[in-house]
Each structure stands twice: as C-alpha cells, then as structure tokens.
Amino acid sequence: LDGKIILHGQKDKIKDQHAIVKGDAAVLSQDCEMYFVGINKTAYGFEGLTDNKTMLKKAMQKPVIYEVPTIEDIMLYYIRRNK
C-alpha cells in the first residue's frame, strides 16, 4: 500500500464499524455487495468483511452471521483489496 494510511482512529471504534459476515452465497445481492471491503465465495457460502455493518444489516434480506473481526482480519481484507 506504499505507506498510504487506510484506517485511522481508536482500535475499538474501527472494530465496531467492521464485521465479518458469513452466510449462504444465495443471499448476496449487488446492493449488499457494495457494503463489503472484500468477499470470499465458495460452494458452501461466503465470508466477507464489511466496513458499514449498520447499512449492511438494513440491506440484507436473509439472516447471516455477524462476528467481531480482529485488527488482523481487518488489515488482511484491506491488503487483499488493494493488490
């Protein structure tokens, strides 16, 4: 990322804004995908990181699992996105 600052703020606030989201890939729509930093889709479902879980929760029509990410999780998704 060539020294570019991609996140700043208190660790707890950054973690609160983000969420690891898991569920059936069939529940993803283009409207939902725009709220993800990155998504990994497999034959069994998807896992992704959102940086706006409040809006994603409003956009998701079906139940999914929301988990609190670690700072390492957050950084890995941003690094993958910017490659």
Side-chain angles (χ1 to χ4, degrees), residues 30-45:
Q30 285 185 337
D31 291 339
C32 294
E33 287 190 25
M34 69 183 206
Y35 295 112
F36 283 91
V37 172
I39 302 172
N40 297 320
K41 297 178 187 176
T42 67
Y44 302 104

Side-chain angles (χ1 to χ4, degrees), residues 22 24 26-28 32 56-57 59-66:
K22 298 178 181 180
D24 186 346
V27 304
L28 287 175
C32 294
L56 181 63
K57 285 182 179 184
M60 289 299 257
Q61 309 256 322
K62 306 274 181 168
V64 292
I65 297 169
Y66 293 90

Side-chain angles (χ1 to χ4, degrees), residues 42-82:
T42 67
Y44 302 104
F46 78 93
E47 177 179 311
L49 178 77
T50 181
D51 60 351
N52 193 340
K53 68 181 177 185
T54 303
M55 292 302 294
L56 181 63
K57 285 182 179 184
K58 291 178 183 178
M60 289 299 257
Q61 309 256 322
K62 306 274 181 168
V64 292
I65 297 169
Y66 293 90
E67 296 178 350
V68 176
T70 63
I71 290 296
E72 291 82 11
D73 291 331
I74 294 169
M75 293 309 302
L76 286 173
Y77 272 97
Y78 277 99
I79 289 168
R80 284 186 214 135
R81 179 176 80 174
N82 290 306

